[in-house]
Amino acid sequence: LLPVAEAQVFALAEGTSLGDQVGMVTSSGLAPMLGAAPVAFAMLSSTAYAPGTKVLVNAEGEQAPATVCALRFLEEARDGGA
């Protein structure tokens, strides 16, 4: 699922419940070097910006699970990291 610009980002509460809004997507696209996986950039509050933080993102009318990662996400993906 591909989130669009201005999609809301929410904290992941217990289980898979929707928590407080912690940010907003600024841009997104499909990453050809990652097998056309959807990637997005978002402005996040300080409570959610640590790499590895699990969040939920509004994407195509659904809540899609996502993981916050460092800006060097391509290198992490190639190395099998988060």
Side-chain angles (χ1 to χ4, degrees):
L1 298 172
L2 182 64
V4 296
E6 299 186 13
Q8 295 173 316
V9 180
F10 295 93
L12 186 60
E14 289 191 32
T16 56
S17 299
L18 196 64
D20 294 332
Q21 182 178 351
V22 294
M24 186 170 288
V25 172
T26 58
S27 62
S28 65
L30 299 176
M33 297 200 59
L34 296 175
V39 295
F41 292 93
M43 294 292 294
L44 298 174
S45 72
S46 60
T47 61
Y49 75 89
T53 301
K54 304 291 185 191
V55 296
L56 292 172
V57 181
N58 287 335
E60 299 180 23
E62 297 181 33
Q63 295 294 320
T67 303
V68 176
C69 63
L71 285 176
R72 301 180 143 228
F73 63 89
L74 182 57
E75 293 168 7
E76 289 180 7
R78 286 182 179 164
D79 295 339

